[in-house]
Amino acid sequence: MKNVDNQLASEIVIFGALGDLSRRKLLPSLYQLQLAGLLSDQTRIIAVARNDMALKEFKQLIKDSLQEFIDETLDAQVVASFLEKLVYQHLDFKDIKAYKQLAKTLSSGQGARLYYYSTPPAIYGDISEGLQASNLINANDRVVMEKPIGHCLESSKVINDQVSRYFAENQIYRIDHYLGKETVLNLLVLRFANSLFTNNWDRNSIDHVQITVAESVGIEGRWGFYDEAGQMRDMVQNHLLQVLSLLAMEPPAELCADSVRDEKLKVIKALKPITRQNVKDKTVRGQYTDGFLNGVPVPGYLNEEGAKANSSTETFVAIKAEIDNWRWAGVPFYLRTGKRMPQKQSEIVVHFKQQAHNIFSESYADLPANKLTIRLQPDEGVELDMMNKIPGIASQMQIQENKLDLSFSQAYDNQRVVDAYERLLLEVLRGDQSLFVRRDEVEAAWQWADSIIDAWQSTNEAPKSYAAGSWGPVSSIALIARDDRQWVE
Ligand SMILES: NC(=O)C1=CN([C@@H]2O[C@H](COP(=O)(O)OP(=O)(O)OC[C@H]3O[C@@H](n4cnc5c(N)ncnc54)[C@H](OP(=O)(O)O)[C@@H]3O)[C@@H](O)[C@H]2O)C=CC1
Ligand SMILES: O=C1O[C@H](COP(=O)(O)O)[C@@H](O)[C@H](O)[C@H]1O
């Protein structure tokens, strides 16, 4: 692999260590890396947060978090050695002078540091400035920035500019945890290690593509944060566009960070703009109302804890996206994502074109087209719908549609699915940027998303309602039905 800084980082500094992401994902992932023997004996984890807390109390809190957020039984010895790595430092991230205190906690050795900004993006600049003011940034240190970076193109530029004042682009790791999912990584293998797909991956063979990222959860106590963002900024601008770009990009010349990022960027830049003129035809935004999930009543968005009345923030988005290039001209990519849908289900369905001529019309009048389903989560796997002869003597040529199903849990003997954050943290420790998003990608994605948000704002229309536990507003069915197609459910 190229573009790799081979110096393993030896200090991991988490800003916002008492926050939700840190307790639910980052520290449990670091425990898993320790369990797998992937953290060196020298690695220290410096947890930085606002509260003044004794180290003993902090360690107990993290032990409880590991128990709460890791499904498997914990290994007591590994927990003990993991907790030994922890150091706690309280700090107000906006107080630039206070970083001197952090400097005393960090080692003065030459080892690379990993700074993880698990805080609201608005203070990424303050933290970077504080680190610099106390001479805590060296050329081989790395910084991880959580998404969404900003609220729009302009604010993302401000944040990126602030951080870039102190860190070079090859030190900045913009995380999009979908890029660390096994099944998203597998898109590269599926597309570029199987000539069957490599050679049939374009407008000549593919009719259309559906990408669904459905979540059954609601806002989960994050109403204030979420209401400022909405599903477009929280999911589409980042996760869905990253998945779409991996799915649609040209083959990268090699498997290195910039080669892959160059190709992803071209896809995002080639997305046809959705503007005030066509937004009604190309998008649907929805908001869930009271409903039922698995028979249990759940509140609507406006009845969630902490909700304010009359918010018009969307919790569901459907988009007919089109990529203006030779490969994909005329092939729509229908995107759909929402909260409080019937189940957690993220998948890509690639609909191939129908056979031009049907020689089996006597037994099967309307030959269905092949369909490739890539199950991102849960029940990770790949499934191909294809036609097959029904074995038997009675009739010569009875045929039916069947599935080739590669379920990863069966194929790989129920091997544990590695959490995306485990992989991504390891990649930063190793200094490999391949699975992180470059600044120009983030900005191109904002440009496309901003135009849609602007068009929605100009129409001033309330989002369409859908009952919690349903697949979204009726108009999302109409969006695809207008093209004589339907969502796969
Ligand atoms: N939670 C998740 O699942 C995901 C989160 N993210 C992103 O990760 C980042 C963190 O999110 P999350 O953990 O949910 O947010 P939280 O609000 O739970 O955590 C943020 C932490 O930052 C601390 N903080 C904020 N300002 C300061 C300050 N001036 N000085 C010291 N500490 C401060 C907060 O401290 P205090 O509690 O004292 O206010 C809090 O502990 C955000 O950028 C978010 O968008 C991205 C994907 C998923
Ligand atoms: O980034 C985010 O992702 C989660 C969904 O992640 P997944 O790995 O569970 O699919 C989403 O719930 C959250 O709102 C968003 O900020």
Side-chain angles (χ1 to χ4, degrees):
M1 288 266 235
K2 295 187 185 157
N3 301 10
V4 176
D5 171 352
N6 275 319
Q7 189 181 357
L8 205 66
S10 58
E11 275 186 326
I12 302 167
V13 186
I14 304 178
F15 290 90
L18 293 175
D20 176 74
L21 181 74
S22 165
R23 288 189 307 109
R24 212 158 45 81
K25 289 289 183 188
L26 306 183
L27 289 158
S29 296
L30 289 170
Y31 162 85
Q32 295 288 6
L33 294 182
Q34 167 89 350
L35 180 67
L38 293 166
L39 292 186
S40 83
D41 291 346
Q42 287 73 41
T43 306
R44 293 196 314 152
I45 301 167
I46 292 92
V48 193
R50 192 161 21 201
N51 300 22
D52 193 358
M53 189 184 269
L55 180 60
K56 198 171 162 203
E57 194 188 343
F58 176 70
K59 284 187 178 179
Q60 186 57 47
L61 193 95
I62 298 312
K63 198 172 171 187
D64 296 345
S65 300
L66 298 182
Q67 255 143 12
E68 185 178 351
F69 298 116
I70 295 179
D71 293 337
E72 307 95 70
T73 312
L74 297 178
D75 179 318
Q77 252 183 343
V78 177
V79 172
S81 61
F82 179 71
L83 294 178
E84 274 306 298
K85 290 187 175 302
L86 296 180
V87 177
Y88 184 79
Q89 171 69 56
H90 79 94
L91 183 75
D92 178 350
F93 304 163
K94 289 190 162 189
D95 181 356
I96 305 301
K97 290 187 187 141
Y99 285 73
K100 281 194 196 124
Q101 207 49 45
L102 179 62
K104 288 184 193 156
T105 306
L106 299 183
S107 82
S108 50
Q110 287 308 299
R113 294 191 190 113
L114 182 171
Y115 293 117
Y116 201 116
Y117 293 176
S118 183
T119 69
I123 58 172
Y124 293 171
D126 296 312
I127 303 176
S128 309
E129 193 187 338
L131 291 173
Q132 176 68 14
S134 287
N135 287 323
L136 290 174
I137 303 177
N138 295 314
N140 49 16
D141 293 341
R142 295 134 209 185
V143 60
V144 182
M145 297 192 344
E146 263 297 342
K147 58 118 296 230
I149 299 176
H151 198 248
C152 59
L153 176 59
E154 281 317 306
S155 54
S156 88
K157 281 185 177 171
V158 170
I159 294 167
N160 275 314
D161 283 346
Q162 287 170 339
V163 176
S164 305
R165 234 173 264 149
Y166 309 104
F167 292 92
E169 183 64 27
N170 67 2
Q171 294 178 280
I172 301 177
Y173 292 71
R174 295 180 193 82
I175 207 161
D176 182 312
H177 76 274
Y178 268 57
L179 293 180
K181 288 184 188 283
E182 288 285 359
T183 44
V184 173
L185 269 176
N186 191 47
L187 288 175
L188 293 172
V189 184
L190 183 85
R191 285 195 56 198
F192 304 121
N194 296 291
S195 60
L196 169 67
F197 297 125
T198 311
N199 298 327
N200 291 289
W201 207 258
D202 59 19
R203 64 190 305 274
N204 296 316
S205 305
I206 293 177
D207 176 74
H208 75 282
V209 178
Q210 299 183 15
I211 304 179
T212 296
V213 177
E215 294 182 80
S216 57
V217 292
I219 301 311
E220 301 204 291
R222 296 197 296 153
W223 205 92
F225 158 80
Y226 186 85
D227 199 57
E228 291 287 310
Q231 198 70 355
M232 185 72 185
R233 295 184 175 97
D234 191 41
M235 296 293 290
V236 179
Q237 186 272 342
N238 32 78
H239 305 323
L240 271 88
L241 287 191
Q242 283 296 319
V243 170
L244 170 69
S245 58
L246 282 174
L247 196 68
M249 71 183 184
E250 295 301 313
E254 49 183 338
L255 204 55
C256 72
D258 277 333
S259 212
V260 174
R261 291 151 138 201
D262 286 347
E263 297 308 332
K264 284 195 291 161
L265 176 66
K266 285 182 205 160
V267 173
I268 301 173
K269 283 191 159 176
L271 281 168
K272 273 193 194 169
I274 296 179
T275 59
R276 296 179 184 199
Q277 281 69 43
N278 58 9
V279 73
K280 281 193 179 173
D281 295 335
K282 309 264 186 200
T283 72
V284 172
R285 59 196 293 268
Q287 188 186 78
Y288 63 87
T289 55
D290 296 350
F292 289 86
L293 255 165
N294 302 321
V296 178
V298 291
Y301 180 67
L302 298 180
N303 294 326
E304 293 274 16
E305 193 193 325
K308 290 192 205 122
N310 296 330
S311 162
S312 65
T313 296
E314 78 286 348
T315 60
F316 172 96
V317 177
I319 302 178
K320 178 181 174 181
E322 290 160 287
I323 302 169
D324 232 352
N325 66 17
W326 278 99
R327 185 181 284 269
W328 296 116
V331 181
F333 286 73
Y334 300 97
L335 316 180
R336 171 175 72 151
T337 177
K339 308 279 186 219
R340 282 287 187 232
M341 295 181 74
Q343 65 210 45
K344 185 172 177 76
Q345 183 187 330
S346 300
E347 64 178 30
I348 300 165
V349 187
V350 179
H351 292 252
F352 288 88
K353 288 195 163 157
Q354 263 192 315
Q355 290 285 26
H357 175 62
N358 180 8
I359 60 169
F360 305 102
S361 54
E362 274 186 22
S363 63
Y364 217 107
D366 198 11
L367 272 186
N370 295 127
K371 209 168 71 189
L372 176 72
T373 304
I374 304 163
R375 297 193 300 266
L376 300 181
Q377 61 184 25
D379 187 19
E380 290 78 2
V382 178
E383 188 179 300
L384 183 64
D385 285 24
M386 54 187 294
M387 298 304 294
N388 205 42
K389 179 185 176 304
I390 304 173
I393 188 77
S395 99
Q396 190 204 35
M397 203 52 94
Q398 280 274 312
I399 64 173
Q400 74 176 175
E401 196 175 16
N402 246 313
K403 286 183 193 303
L404 277 180
D405 190 354
L406 176 64
S407 160
F408 295 166
S409 64
Q410 280 171 21
Y412 301 104
D413 207 14
N414 286 318
Q415 191 164 331
R416 187 178 78 87
V417 179
V418 171
D419 189 89
Y421 278 95
E422 290 170 41
R423 173 171 311 284
L424 295 174
L425 278 163
L426 184 62
E427 298 299 317
V428 192
L429 286 170
R430 288 175 172 160
D432 186 342
Q433 291 187 303
S434 306
L435 303 181
F436 296 83
V437 187
R438 210 169 50 195
R439 177 172 177 162
D440 48 9
E441 290 180 78
V442 174
E443 294 186 352
W446 271 126
Q447 190 161 359
W448 189 72
D450 277 357
S451 167
I452 299 178
I453 294 168
D454 165 75
W456 284 340
Q457 281 166 353
S458 76
T459 65
N460 211 16
E461 265 185 31
K464 308 274 187 256
S465 313
Y466 64 100
S470 71
W471 283 100
V474 180
S475 32
S476 67
I477 301 170
L479 173 93
I480 189 166
R482 281 199 289 279
D483 296 340
D484 251 340
R485 300 182 176 114
Q486 58 186 40
W487 295 109
V488 176
E489 267 157 31

